Amino acid sequence: MATFPSITPTYGMRKTSTPKVKVVRLGDGYEFRALYGLPLTQDPKVYDLTFNVSETEADVIEAFLRSRVNDQASFTFTPPAEGFTKTGTYSQSGTTVTISISSHGVAIGDVLTIDYTTGSATDGTFAVASSADANSFTVTAAASATNSGNVSITLSGAGKYVCGSWTKTIPYNNRAVINCTFREVFEP
């Protein structure tokens, strides 16, 4: 899979989220909400990006996007400031691991790389199972144990995207502005 070139979009990008939820409204005012599809694919992101770059960098971006149109493949893209690494503490009881990090910023379903820096828990990639509040969340371990210690979590922020259209403007010599929309897709 191709990875978008290491060219950073201009400040001021827009991110849109439209979760896939089915809603049934009942006559008495109650409503029932249910996820539509698999839980990890319920909140695809759409990024409206502007690249204010040199003409050479614009050619690189445009060639990359044209190549994805020709091969009809998605590409890997990491939006600016979407990934992070944070440290905190954890406690494991059975297969439930509770991680405490002040203002953790993760949501149910986020996939994290977890490094248990102390204790005997097994490092790996885990999906967030529940989020009690802004300072703690749980994941499910592969094996049952009772331990605790320090932990480091990483949310990569990278995803698979497609770009359906883009525009290129050349405001003056050797400069270009590319506006494009990247839509997150979920593929095996």
Side-chain angles (χ1 to χ4, degrees):
M1 174 181 294
T3 300
F4 190 78
S6 295
I7 300 172
T8 305
T10 306
Y11 178 76
M13 71 177 187
R14 184 175 74 170
K15 173 177 145 182
T16 305
S17 294
T18 308
K20 297 177 185 175
V21 177
K22 289 285 187 182
V23 178
V24 176
R25 289 180 178 84
L26 305 173
D28 57 2
Y30 286 93
E31 70 179 30
F32 175 74
R33 293 169 301 283
L35 292 177
Y36 185 64
L38 299 172
L40 294 179
T41 62
Q42 295 316 300
D43 193 14
K45 307 294 186 267
V46 176
Y47 289 90
D48 293 318
L49 305 168
T50 300
F51 295 88
N52 190 345
V53 294
S54 69
E55 181 63 34
T56 303
E57 288 178 315
D59 289 343
V60 169
I61 292 170
E62 201 167 21
F64 179 85
L65 295 175
R66 281 194 330 265
S67 293
R68 300 301 67 81
V69 169
N70 290 335
D71 64 15
Q72 288 297 293
S74 61
F75 55 89
T76 302
F77 175 67
T78 304
E82 287 296 297
F84 57 79
T85 298
K86 296 182 178 184
T87 58
T89 60
Y90 79 94
S91 63
Q92 180 177 355
S93 177
T95 58
T96 301
V97 180
T98 302
I99 297 176
S100 298
I101 297 175
S102 180
S103 302
H104 57 70
V106 300
I108 295 171
D110 282 350
V111 177
L112 306 172
T113 301
I114 298 180
D115 177 18
Y116 297 100
T117 54
T118 61
S120 59
T122 304
D123 298 344
T125 303
F126 302 90
V128 175
S130 69
S131 181
D133 56 38
N135 301 315
S136 65
F137 62 93
T138 65
V139 297
T140 303
S144 184
T146 302
N147 55 45
S148 62
N150 295 324
V151 66
S152 173
I153 66 164
T154 301
L155 178 68
S156 79
K160 296 178 184 180
Y161 293 85
V162 295
C163 179
S165 66
W166 62 92
T167 61
K168 178 179 178 181
T169 308
I170 302 172
Y172 53 92
N173 195 24
N174 294 322
R175 294 300 295 173
V177 177
I178 293 183
N179 291 301
C180 50
T181 300
F182 289 0
R183 180 177 51 85
E184 188 175 22
V185 294
F186 301 99
E187 303 169 336

